[in-house]
């Protein structure tokens, strides 16, 4: 069998480093990770966030963009927090100042991301979610409101059990939930999407309004 027609051209060498050139250049973290600040090179953009986004959802975006370990991310809650045990993302329990320094977000934004049982507002201790919302990179404090059974935006029943493994996850900021990053924290089943900084897009205005209305309604009792 002749291969004369397929003579390779000796002058064309393969671009060996083509794949490496487009890699983002983040500084390598060799410093004391117990104290993270934006000065160490962490990136977090306010434009990635949606209104009423939960702290865990914010942290998943932070992790996706910066790739710290779950232990490092859990330590952002406070230096004395056991990363594996974690902490409920409640106002008063989480060290908001430390989070503010690390994520560079306004205190008010962080306060809204935390749950507080004020008045008749009650929040579930189990992680509750809407699959289309998670697929778009969004989990909200509104999803955690016990009063609500459907997602305000998608009108689907909120779920607690994983569609694949059937297990529930406690709503705590710990290594297990942090490393799930919009997936099931038990089996890592996905929900049909993968949030990345480069595909972040604004929420539809009607969805934004729906979350705001439900949040206010529940606040008023
Ligand atoms: Zn939804
Ligand atoms: Zn699962």
């Amino acid at each position: 069998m002749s291969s004369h027609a397929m003579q390779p051209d000796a002058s064309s060498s393969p671009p060996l480093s083509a794949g490496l050139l487009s890699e983002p250049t983040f500084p390598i973290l060799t410093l004391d990770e117990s104290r993270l600040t934006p000065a160490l090179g962490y990136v977090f953009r306010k434009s990635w966030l949606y209104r009423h986004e939960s702290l865990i959802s914010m942290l998943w975006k932070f992790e996706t963009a910066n790739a710290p370990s779950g232990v490092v991310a859990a330590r952002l809650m406070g230096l004395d927090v056991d990363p594996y045990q974690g902490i409920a993302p409640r106002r008063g329990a989480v060290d908001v100042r430390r989070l503010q320094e690390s994520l560079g977000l306004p205190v008010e934004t962080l306060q809204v991301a935390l749950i507080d049982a004020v008045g008749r507002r009650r929040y579930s201790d189990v992680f509750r979610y809407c699959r289309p919302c998670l697929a778009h990179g969004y989990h909200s404090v509104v999803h955690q409101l016990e009063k609500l059974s459907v997602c305000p935006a998608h009108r689907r029943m909120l779920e607690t059990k994983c569609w694949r493994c059937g297990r529930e996850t406690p709503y705590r900021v710990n290594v297990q939930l942090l490393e799930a990053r919009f997936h099931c924290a038990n089996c890592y089943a996905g929900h049909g999407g993968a949030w990345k900084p480069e595909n972040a897009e604004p929420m539809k205005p009607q969805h934004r309004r729906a979350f705001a209305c439900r949040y206010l309604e529940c606040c008023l009792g």
Side-chain angles (χ1 to χ4, degrees):
M1 193 171 159
S2 167
S3 61
H4 283 261
M6 298 290 286
Q7 285 291 339
D9 178 4
S11 68
S12 71
S13 53
L16 287 172
S17 59
L20 296 172
L21 291 175
S22 59
E23 289 290 309
T25 51
F26 288 115
I28 296 163
L29 287 172
T30 52
L31 297 164
D32 176 13
E33 288 184 328
S34 66
R35 198 178 152 72
L36 299 171
T37 67
L40 288 184
Y42 278 89
V43 176
F44 199 98
R45 299 198 202 298
K46 262 172 78 181
S47 60
W48 294 341
L49 296 182
Y50 303 124
R51 291 270 293 146
H52 307 106
E53 185 151 356
S54 70
L55 182 64
I56 195 71
S57 190
M58 290 179 179
L59 291 169
W60 282 339
K61 289 176 177 173
F62 173 75
E63 289 182 297
T64 305
N66 299 287
S69 68
V71 172
V72 169
R75 284 255 168 82
L76 296 179
M77 302 310 106
L79 275 176
D80 51 350
V81 170
D82 176 336
Y84 294 92
Q85 184 70 25
I87 189 171
R90 291 186 184 282
R91 284 186 207 169
V94 169
D95 185 344
V96 174
R97 256 195 80 77
R98 183 173 164 77
L99 263 179
Q100 186 211 358
E101 281 178 13
S102 306
L103 303 182
L105 293 172
V107 170
E108 311 83 69
T109 307
L110 293 166
Q111 293 287 14
V112 174
L114 296 168
I115 57 178
D116 67 332
V118 170
R120 291 192 217 158
R121 228 185 311 166
R122 291 286 175 270
Y123 294 90
S124 173
D125 291 335
V126 172
F127 182 68
R128 285 158 51 110
Y129 65 94
C130 162
R131 288 184 65 188
C133 278
L134 282 192
H136 281 104
Y138 183 60
H139 174 260
S140 172
V141 286
V142 178
H143 291 132
Q144 290 300 124
L145 285 164
E146 278 186 347
K147 239 179 172 179
L148 239 63
S149 54
V150 296
C151 172
H154 300 101
R155 309 250 157 238
R156 296 172 50 115
M157 289 296 288
L158 293 172
E159 297 174 62
T160 57
K161 292 189 170 117
C162 168
W163 60 272
R164 187 161 76 184
C165 71
R167 291 176 68 186
E168 294 185 330
T169 308
Y171 187 50
R172 289 181 76 80
V173 181
N174 57 19
V175 170
Q176 186 188 15
L177 192 54
L178 283 166
E179 296 196 338
R181 298 190 199 177
F182 300 107
H183 293 68
C184 169
N186 296 297
C187 74
Y188 298 104
H191 300 286
W195 183 88
K196 296 229 167 58
E198 56 273 22
N199 65 19
E201 47 187 49
M203 185 184 277
K204 290 180 183 163
Q206 67 267 34
H207 287 179
R208 207 167 54 224
R209 277 196 299 274
F211 278 107
C213 282
R214 300 304 287 165
Y215 186 72
L216 275 178
E217 271 170 34
C218 288
C219 282
L220 298 172

